[in-house]
Amino acid sequence: MADSTGIQLGSPAVGAAGLIPAAPGAAGTEGSGAAGGSARIAAKKAQLRSSPRPKKLEKLGVYSSCKAEGACKCNGWKNQNPPPTPPQTDQQSNTVNLQEPCRSCSHTLGDHVTHLENVSEEEMNRLLGIVLDVEYLYTCVHKEEDADTKQVYFSLFKLLRKSIVQMGKPMLEAQESPPFEKPSIEQGVNNFVQYKFSHLPSKERQTIMELAKMFLNQINYWQLETPSQRRQRVPSDDVVGYKVSYTRWLCYCNVPQFCDSLPRYETTQIFGRTLLRSVFTVMRKQLLEQARQEKDKLPPEKRTLILTHFPKFLSMLEEEVYSHSSPIWSQDFLVGATGGQIPIHTVISAPPVARPIYYSTSPVSVDPSTCGSVSPARKPASVLESNPVGEKRKASEPLHHEENKRPKVVGDIPMDLINEVMATISDPATIPETSLLSAHSARDEAARLEERRGVIEFHVIGNSLNQKPNKRILMWLVGLQNVFSHQLPRMPKEYITRLVFDPKHKTLSLIKDGRVIGGICFRMFPSQGFTEIVFCAVTSNEQVKGYGTHLMNHLKEYHIKHEILNFLTYADEYAIGYFKKQGFSKDIKVPKTKYVGYIKDYEGATLMGCELNPSIPYTEFSVIIKKQKEIIKKLIERKQAQIRKVYPGLSCFKDGVRQIPIESIPGIRETGWKPAGKGKELKDPDQLYSTLKTILQHVKSHQNAWPFMEPVKKTEAPGYYQVIRFPMDLKTMSERLKSRYYTTRKLFMADMQRIFTNCREYNAPESEYFKCANILEKFFYTKIKEAGLIEK
């Protein structure tokens, strides 16, 4: 009874792809849907299980080998007078004669079922269920036309047939058992909802939750295309890998919907990103097409959800499915405070939200709220297609995961307290609204709200020399060329046209009411680790609405997804202010060797750079800051409520006391005051010498220390010593350290600081020396803190 029989997973099998799951062997047609097929089989099983025991024995005898003496090789009892096909109801009888001989071996029916004499009714009914599944699969094998599918049906048929003979449980034999990939599709979608929408108000999160459930349900009942159909549609695809997934899907998900004697799993729980990638594009297209065709049949409350929010939800999810750096597919994505995995249902039965966010895998255009800015470029590639792409956040691990790994610092606010405060402001109604014209309103707030309502869209678009022209994209490119030409009148129109239509450049375009109102033209240099922003402009009558800031934030998100974390641009005098507001500065983080020869110097403009932080969700940054401010405000209010106690005045001074320690003032510590931190002064001369020597060696080894290694030569910098009265360099410091001049840490730090101060006093801010001083100074103070010479 305990024996298990198995099947070796060989080839895949399945009906035609479609929206309604087909019963095995039904080739995916709508008329043979899952509900109808499984209901019919369930009804037959119920009818058979209610039959008298002799009738059950007759049914099982057909699949039981003969037990008569003499080693009979008959593998199943066969009726001498088989009933007509199909059987007539009025001719059916419940009278069964166990002495009736077998048409094949002449032994009686009783000789075939002797092993079932003492079997319980429950076990008998289980075996009868397998019998009906065997008969159903037999029909499927003969009706199925696809060779791969037929092979799997036949393997499952043999497996169930064998399990009846051995009275065991069907067991699929495979090198791997479910789940086949982690995280699963279900977990990935939950991570996506958490990653993209956890910051949104509860009502909007509830909308996203419904969309996520809808999507997962569609996958669980999706009919995969056969390997042969996929081979015809995508000849270059990994057919072998798809065939394995297809076979597993048939055996563990599809066939068990109708043959319940086989263990059944949900597709979204045992498959992961690999299967989702292979079906997502086709599935998305068919789902949206079906929704459009049946929109009149949808109830009004579902129409907006399915026709407006669902397409945007799928577009954003598509970006994460095909992105190589998306964090939602990391097994460590959702980690709670205790380090355990957050249950899936925290998200898919909690909240998420949909919003209109579009990107594309081609150039894109964005809008600065100010005038235009220019920067000539000379390289990247782009594609003529407008793929809606999701937005926001980083290519690295999520923020809350980093928080868990960060060492706790004395004075940190307990997470329990923060969660308690968050609960009081999670409802957006409790957060004071700021007028869009208020001084406290974020620059991009109005633009973000318009995007959420679907008033504006963002697309990365570009020209292509090897794809069929897309009329809509070409119209947008012409619109971008016009916007840049009008807003950047000093740039030659031919030059703008050449770069906008250059296949190596992309443009993040801002679309409103179907027309282009702004954009950012850029060129990516992945091998060099930076992107050059060439043009950035918004049409004049749409400025001062926050479009420029929101445009740049989308561009940052796009580049984080593509793992490029540096921007360079040549900004004219009208654009410097705009770029400063977007985080650009004259302090270029990209080594000069990386961009020299790749971008052209632009006469009369200033080179500016921006380093992106992959941990920042730029498009939602102002929302997060607003929420953080509310948290701090609530914490302050709580603290104030705790320290309202009034202490008596200090009377010690009446007794002649001139001064007292601050910490002895009653109530001072309750306010959160702490003694000012002081650096640790090393009293042991040898220990001080060793520590300072190590720090100095680290500084001298730094890549930006080269300008400060030796004293400045008069021939190289005429007039230097007229400007700098107290010169210092790393060589002089080494000699002083060797002679034990530095008897305290303060002397050492003063000399090092003099190096940086002298450099900044003599050199211009845009010079290489000025930048080296800034970088090396930060490095020096990092090492000083690590050594414990000053407080961290």
Side-chain angles (χ1 to χ4, degrees):
M1 295 286 291
D3 293 343
S4 295
T5 56
I7 174 177
Q8 186 66 38
L9 295 188
S11 336
V14 91
L19 299 180
I20 300 178
T29 59
E30 290 192 17
S32 55
S38 56
R40 286 193 299 273
I41 298 171
K44 286 183 179 179
K45 288 182 179 180
Q47 182 182 2
L48 184 58
R49 285 165 178 161
S50 63
S51 303
R53 189 175 178 90
K55 193 70 179 175
K56 294 179 180 179
L57 289 173
E58 181 186 29
K59 191 72 174 175
L60 289 170
V62 175
Y63 297 93
S64 303
S65 57
C66 184
K67 308 296 188 298
E69 296 180 2
C72 180
K73 296 183 179 180
C74 177
N75 62 0
W77 182 80
K78 299 170 184 63
N79 197 336
Q80 294 276 12
N81 303 301
T85 307
Q88 302 297 318
T89 358
D90 56 349
Q91 295 180 2
Q92 290 185 28
S93 170
N94 286 331
T95 57
V96 176
N97 183 6
L98 294 179
Q99 300 304 315
E100 190 169 349
C102 171
R103 178 160 43 91
S104 176
C105 68
S106 300
H107 292 118
T108 65
L109 171 61
D111 290 330
H112 287 76
V113 295
T114 53
H115 62 298
L116 299 172
E117 289 178 1
N118 300 318
V119 169
S120 67
E121 201 69 21
E122 183 182 355
E123 177 64 11
M124 185 89 74
N125 288 337
R126 185 186 71 83
L127 292 173
L128 286 169
I130 300 178
V131 166
L132 286 183
D133 288 344
V134 165
E135 292 178 351
Y136 186 71
L137 280 172
Y138 181 79
T139 305
C140 293
V141 169
H142 285 81
K143 287 185 176 181
E144 182 58 54
E145 297 179 357
D146 179 74
D148 294 319
T149 309
K150 185 189 287 283
Q151 182 181 343
V152 175
Y153 288 161
F154 185 62
S155 298
L156 291 173
F157 167 80
K158 290 193 296 182
L159 167 69
L160 295 181
R161 181 79 172 77
K162 186 178 178 182
S163 66
I164 298 172
V165 173
Q166 297 182 352
M167 296 178 64
K169 292 184 178 180
M171 185 69 68
L172 295 169
E173 294 177 355
Q175 294 179 350
E176 291 184 60
S177 57
F180 302 113
E181 189 174 1
K182 291 183 178 180
S184 65
I185 295 173
E186 184 178 90
Q187 183 64 68
V189 172
N190 274 282
N191 292 349
F192 167 71
V193 171
Q194 185 80 350
Y195 177 50
K196 292 287 186 181
F197 309 106
S198 60
H199 62 283
L200 292 173
S202 58
K203 186 177 179 181
E204 292 181 335
R205 293 202 310 272
Q206 185 63 32
T207 303
I208 292 297
M209 177 187 74
E210 291 181 28
L211 294 173
K213 286 180 178 178
M214 186 191 308
F215 176 74
L216 291 174
N217 188 59
Q218 288 290 345
I219 295 179
N220 284 330
Y221 291 96
W222 192 258
Q223 193 73 12
L224 299 187
E225 59 186 344
T226 64
S228 57
Q229 289 171 334
R230 186 171 183 83
R231 196 180 301 114
Q232 292 174 1
R233 187 174 62 84
V234 192
S236 59
D237 191 47
D238 176 19
V239 180
V240 176
Y242 179 78
K243 191 174 182 180
V244 171
S245 296
Y246 179 75
T247 301
R248 289 171 172 172
W249 171 78
L250 268 181
C251 293
Y252 289 101
C253 305
N254 181 253
V255 174
Q257 289 186 60
F258 314 95
C259 301
D260 59 9
S261 55
L262 291 168
R264 180 174 180 263
Y265 298 85
E266 296 287 5
T267 305
T268 55
Q269 293 178 352
I270 65 172
F271 291 99
R273 187 184 195 179
T274 303
L275 181 69
L276 186 58
R277 278 181 165 180
S278 64
V279 303
F280 190 92
T281 305
V282 173
M283 180 180 175
R284 176 176 177 268
K285 181 179 178 181
Q286 291 189 22
L287 284 175
L288 297 181
E289 181 61 32
Q290 186 192 37
R292 283 190 290 268
Q293 290 176 359
E294 300 180 0
K295 61 181 179 181
D296 296 332
K297 301 177 184 177
L298 296 172
E301 65 274 11
K302 292 289 184 184
R303 196 169 297 163
T304 302
L305 182 71
I306 294 175
L307 297 180
T308 303
H309 297 311
F310 197 41
K312 296 165 187 174
F313 177 87
L314 293 177
S315 296
M316 295 176 68
L317 179 58
E318 183 176 32
E319 173 73 6
E320 302 302 324
V321 169
Y322 293 103
S323 169
H324 296 293
S325 57
S326 174
I328 70 170
W329 302 104
S330 166
Q331 293 191 49
D332 300 325
F333 179 82
L334 288 179
V335 181
T338 60
Q341 189 76 7
I342 293 179
I344 283 179
H345 299 293
T346 358
V347 176
I348 295 283
S349 56
V353 163
R355 32 185 228 265
I357 294 171
Y358 286 96
Y359 271 133
S360 328
T361 51
S362 351
V364 45
S365 134
V366 182
D367 79 325
S369 304
T370 62
C371 193
S373 86
V374 192
S375 157
R378 309 179 320 185
K379 301 179 178 153
S382 62
V383 190
L384 181 59
E385 55 195 53
S386 172
N387 296 338
V389 178
E391 56 135 333
K392 143 183 163 188
R393 206 128 69 183
K394 63 186 183 202
S396 63
E397 291 184 330
L399 289 176
H400 50 268
H401 182 52
E402 291 297 326
E403 173 67 20
N404 290 329
K405 298 196 293 185
R406 183 171 68 87
K408 296 296 179 184
V409 179
V410 176
D412 270 1
I413 300 172
M415 283 305 298
D416 292 343
L417 177 58
I418 291 185
N419 291 334
E420 188 180 334
V421 172
M422 280 289 292
T424 66
I425 63 171
S426 58
D427 185 353
T430 64
I431 299 180
E433 287 294 326
T434 56
S435 165
L436 296 181
L437 300 178
S438 164
H440 301 288
S441 175
R443 281 193 297 271
D444 64 336
E445 190 166 337
R448 189 171 56 250
L449 291 174
E450 285 191 13
E451 183 184 19
R452 190 171 297 174
R453 293 196 301 265
V455 177
I456 59 174
E457 295 177 358
F458 295 88
H459 295 269
V460 178
I461 60 173
N463 200 3
S464 174
L465 299 179
N466 51 23
Q467 293 189 15
K468 186 178 178 180
N470 181 303
K471 184 178 179 181
R472 182 179 67 163
I473 301 300
L474 290 176
M475 291 292 291
W476 283 350
L477 288 173
V478 171
L480 286 164
Q481 185 258 352
N482 289 333
V483 170
F484 292 145
S485 298
H486 281 90
Q487 298 304 129
L488 309 172
R490 294 193 296 173
M491 294 302 300
K493 193 170 183 178
E494 296 77 11
Y495 180 68
I496 292 174
T497 304
R498 177 160 59 86
L499 293 190
V500 169
F501 284 89
D502 176 22
K504 295 179 180 179
H505 288 72
K506 298 182 180 182
T507 306
L508 176 59
S509 55
L510 172 60
I511 310 298
K512 185 174 184 179
D513 298 328
R515 63 185 182 87
V516 175
I517 63 168
I520 297 178
C521 183
F522 61 94
R523 178 172 179 180
M524 302 168 75
F525 295 88
S527 62
Q528 304 305 109
F530 76 93
T531 281
E532 182 185 18
I533 294 177
V534 187
F535 307 123
C536 179
V538 172
T539 189
S540 55
N541 61 340
E542 297 287 356
Q543 290 180 15
V544 201
K545 295 183 180 180
Y547 291 153
T549 297
H550 205 44
L551 195 58
M552 184 62 72
N553 287 338
H554 271 296
L555 188 67
K556 291 174 180 177
E557 293 286 356
Y558 179 84
H559 279 78
I560 288 172
K561 283 179 171 32
H562 290 78
E563 299 181 334
I564 297 178
L565 303 180
N566 284 284
F567 287 159
L568 292 178
T569 187
Y570 273 100
D572 59 25
E573 65 269 30
Y574 302 108
I576 290 177
Y578 163 75
F579 280 108
K580 280 185 177 179
K581 291 176 183 177
Q582 309 310 318
F584 285 72
S585 74
K586 298 175 185 178
D587 182 13
I588 309 300
K589 303 294 184 183
V590 182
K592 199 168 184 178
T593 53
K594 289 283 187 181
Y595 64 82
V596 170
Y598 285 85
I599 62 176
K600 185 174 67 176
D601 290 338
Y602 182 67
E603 188 177 350
T606 303
L607 181 63
M608 302 184 74
C610 178
E611 186 175 23
L612 306 182
N613 185 335
S615 298
I616 296 177
Y618 285 97
T619 51
E620 298 297 329
F621 190 57
S622 59
V623 176
I624 294 171
I625 293 297
K626 185 177 178 181
K627 185 170 283 190
Q628 288 177 348
K629 285 181 179 179
E630 283 302 309
I631 294 173
I632 297 299
K633 183 180 176 182
K634 294 284 185 183
L635 289 171
I636 292 173
E637 289 173 359
R638 286 182 172 229
K639 194 68 177 177
Q640 287 175 339
Q642 294 171 6
I643 59 173
R644 292 198 189 281
K645 181 179 177 182
V646 178
Y647 292 86
L650 298 172
S651 57
C652 57
F653 299 108
K654 294 179 181 179
D655 302 329
V657 176
R658 299 294 301 272
Q659 67 178 50
I660 61 172
I662 295 177
E663 56 267 29
S664 67
I665 300 174
I668 190 72
R669 288 189 179 274
E670 285 78 354
T671 65
W673 177 88
K674 295 176 184 177
K678 295 182 179 179
K680 179 177 67 174
E681 191 66 74
L682 300 177
K683 295 183 178 179
D684 183 351
D686 291 333
Q687 187 182 359
L688 177 64
Y689 172 80
S690 176
T691 303
L692 298 182
K693 182 179 179 181
T694 302
I695 294 171
L696 188 59
Q697 282 300 117
H698 280 302
V699 172
K700 291 169 71 174
S701 302
H702 194 275
Q703 62 179 2
N704 292 101
W706 59 270
F708 317 111
M709 296 299 289
E710 295 185 348
V712 176
K713 297 177 181 177
K714 293 182 180 180
T715 54
E716 294 178 355
Y720 180 82
Y721 291 98
Q722 278 74 43
V723 177
I724 303 301
R725 296 179 56 199
F726 303 103
M728 184 52 61
D729 59 273
L730 295 175
K731 181 180 180 182
T732 303
M733 287 189 67
S734 298
E735 293 169 353
R736 287 188 169 190
L737 179 64
K738 194 173 181 180
S739 64
R740 304 290 177 127
Y741 168 82
Y742 298 119
T743 54
T744 67
R745 62 182 173 86
K746 290 184 178 179
L747 283 173
F748 179 79
M749 292 172 64
D751 273 357
M752 187 66 76
Q753 186 60 54
R754 189 177 297 282
I755 293 177
F756 307 134
T757 304
N758 290 346
C759 178
R760 286 192 286 260
E761 185 177 347
Y762 183 79
N763 296 288
E766 62 271 12
S767 68
E768 193 75 15
Y769 302 106
F770 196 99
K771 296 169 188 174
C772 286
N774 287 342
I775 296 170
L776 193 61
E777 182 181 32
K778 290 178 183 176
F779 177 77
F780 167 67
Y781 280 102
T782 300
K783 291 300 175 184
I784 285 286
K785 290 175 184 177
E786 289 176 359
L789 296 183
I790 61 173
E791 289 258 328
K792 293 186 179 180

